[in-house]
Amino acid sequence: MTEEIRKLKEIIDNTDNIVFFGGAGVSTESGIPDFRSVDGLYHQQWDEPPETILSHTYYVRYPEKFFRFYRAKLLCPGAKPNAAHKKLAEWEAQGKLRAIVTQNIDGLHQAAGSKEVLELHGSTLRNYCEKCGKFYDADFIRESEGVPTCTCGGRIKPDVVLYEEGLDGNTLERSVRFIADADVLIIAGTSLAVYPAAGLIRYFHGSKLVVINKTPLRSDLGADLVITGAVGETLAQL
């Protein structure tokens, strides 16, 4: 066990009030691509940049192109929870972890057994008709062709927050409350480049701030412990 892992274990062992704030790097070990790494979506060749395709304007104007990209890159039906998801679910079951605040939309935290998961950017597992509100699962979207439509004729929209769209107010409020009340905040697998989600960490005033990331952040945020490495690989050692 390295000195960094020993310090992390000591922090975890001495609290029952952890909040985990995670980004795409939490799921890359499950085979889900992130956006900003060397192999991420932003470095792949498409007619338009991913942030353009995943915008509300593009969704409205070019729905067929949107869904072509969405099915190809955001739906990952074979993905399974990795060691990070499983460890967090274990901590919650032990009464140590209060909540997970995630920027991910893959539902892997819930698949691992976590209950208190605040999805800032929504989920690919939920899809709704824009006309009547009828629910559709991810398999329906994946197996449909072109623009998916409801039995009522309305267009079905994934329950994900696109660029230009606002975050859910209730999810934001609850995330702020959990972070503000936390004793330990673990920030993992995120570049902290997407706002307003990244801005939530400023509400943390607890005793220990931990950062686990493959690449260094622009600022260490005054963290008490910074571990450079994969999130699942790190947490699996605890």
Side-chain angles (χ1 to χ4, degrees), residues 3 17-18 30-31 64 73 127 132 136 157:
E3 181 64 16
N17 186 5
I18 305 167
S30 294
E64 289 196 9
K73 292 300 177 182
N127 306 273
C132 73
Y136 289 87
K157 183 182 184 297

Side-chain angles (χ1 to χ4, degrees), residues 118-183:
L118 301 167
E119 297 171 310
L120 294 172
H121 296 152
S123 173
T124 60
L125 305 186
R126 301 187 300 268
N127 306 273
Y128 299 95
C129 172
E130 294 181 305
K131 186 176 180 181
C132 73
K134 183 178 179 180
F135 172 85
Y136 289 87
D137 62 18
D139 286 341
F140 180 88
I141 302 298
R142 184 169 53 85
E143 294 166 6
S144 64
E145 296 181 359
V147 180
T149 55
C150 176
T151 52
C152 77
R155 180 167 59 189
I156 300 168
K157 183 182 184 297
D159 187 21
V160 298
V161 179
L162 303 176
Y163 289 96
E164 304 170 342
E165 294 180 343
L167 274 58
D168 177 73
N170 181 59
T171 303
L172 271 175
E173 183 181 335
R174 295 185 64 231
S175 298
V176 167
R177 192 181 314 129
F178 274 115
I179 290 172
D181 292 343
D183 178 46

